[in-house]
Amino acid sequence: MVSLRCKMVVKEELCCLGIDYNQVELGTVELAEPISQEQREQLNKNLLKSGLELMDDKKSILIERIKNSIIEIIHYSDEMPKENFSIHLSQKLGYDYTYLSNIFTEVKGLTIQQYIIIHKIEKVKELLLYDELNLSEIAYKLHYSSVAHLSSQFKKVTGVTPSFFKQLKLKRTTNLENL
C-alpha cells in the first residue's frame, strides 16, 4: 500500500469479509485475531482486483516497509527528518542500514538513495505545480543543500529544469483557457 486510497481499499475489503482489524497503515495490517486460510485466500483474491496483494516473503515485506517509510516521510509528512534517511530508516525498521540497503538494491535494482531522489523529485514537481512555494523554499523544505543542487538533481531525473517544468504547466493552462 503506497497511498491513502490503498488503505481505504484494504479497510473496505476487510470489512466486507467481516475481518476485524486493529489498524491499517501503509504496507501493514494489524488483525484483531488470526484469520483462516480460506479468509486469507478470499482477501488476497479481492485485493488483487484492486491491484494489491498480500505478501508472505520476509524480504518483500521488508522492501515494502522501506518504500512505505520513504513515501510517508516525503509525501505525507509536514517536515523531513533532521537526521539522515539512513539513520531514520535504521531506527524505524530496526535493522542495520547496510543490510537494508543491500536487500533493497538486490530486489529493486536501484539503491535506497536513488529511490529517495525519485520521490523527492516527484514531491518537487507536485510543489511546483501547486505554485505556493518558490524554488528556494522547496529546496529548504526538502533539505537540499542549495537550489543549484535541487535543480541539477531535478534535471538529471526529469531531463528538464524546474523552471522549464513550471513553464510547461503555464503553457498547458494557457492553452486550455483558449479552447
Side-chain angles (χ1 to χ4, degrees):
M1 289 182 288
V2 293
S3 72
L4 298 176
R5 183 173 290 151
C6 294
K7 282 175 55 173
M8 288 175 24
V9 168
V10 171
K11 285 179 181 181
E12 189 176 300
E13 290 301 334
L14 290 169
C15 288
C16 286
L17 293 172
I19 299 172
D20 293 327
Y21 61 90
N22 296 329
Q23 94 182 20
V24 175
E25 291 300 323
L26 294 178
T28 61
V29 174
E30 184 184 310
L31 298 175
E33 55 192 45
I35 60 173
S36 69
Q37 186 60 31
E38 198 175 284
Q39 285 176 306
R40 182 178 179 71
E41 288 170 7
Q42 187 61 49
L43 177 61
N44 195 36
K45 182 179 170 185
N46 293 357
L47 290 174
L48 282 171
K49 291 177 187 172
S50 301
L52 302 172
E53 66 179 308
L54 295 178
M55 287 190 203
D56 289 327
D57 176 34
K58 290 186 188 283
K59 264 188 191 177
S60 297
I61 292 169
L62 185 56
I63 298 302
E64 284 304 307
R65 289 181 64 205
I66 293 167
K67 288 169 41 180
N68 290 332
S69 296
I70 292 166
I71 289 166
E72 196 173 304
I73 291 166
I74 294 173
H75 295 282
Y76 300 112
S77 179
D78 290 335
E79 198 166 308
M80 302 287 267
K82 300 280 186 249
E83 70 272 356
N84 289 337
F85 271 97
S86 57
I87 295 168
H88 180 79
L89 288 172
S90 288
Q91 289 174 346
K92 182 170 182 164
L93 301 176
Y95 290 95
D96 178 65
Y97 182 76
T98 304
Y99 175 72
L100 295 174
S101 179
N102 289 338
I103 284 186
F104 192 89
T105 302
E106 173 190 324
V107 173
K108 297 301 289 176
L110 72 158
T111 66
I112 290 176
Q113 193 58 40
Q114 289 168 324
Y115 189 79
I116 290 167
I117 289 168
I118 289 167
H119 278 278
K120 283 176 82 173
I121 296 304
E122 284 304 310
K123 184 66 175 180
V124 171
K125 288 163 57 175
E126 179 185 320
L127 293 171
L128 286 171
L129 291 175
Y130 285 153
D131 206 23
E132 293 174 3
L133 301 173
N134 64 38
L135 210 51
S136 296
E137 292 167 325
I138 293 171
Y140 178 79
K141 180 179 177 73
L142 295 177
H143 290 248
Y144 279 94
S145 57
S146 67
V147 173
H149 180 223
L150 168 90
S151 295
S152 72
Q153 207 169 68
F154 190 93
K155 183 162 183 166
K156 191 182 291 183
V157 172
T158 66
V160 298
T161 64
S163 55
F164 185 77
F165 179 82
K166 204 169 180 179
Q167 285 174 354
L168 289 175
K169 177 215 169 207
L170 293 173
K171 283 182 185 175
R172 273 189 302 234
T173 308
T174 305
N175 289 339
L176 289 175
E177 290 171 356
N178 292 333
L179 290 176

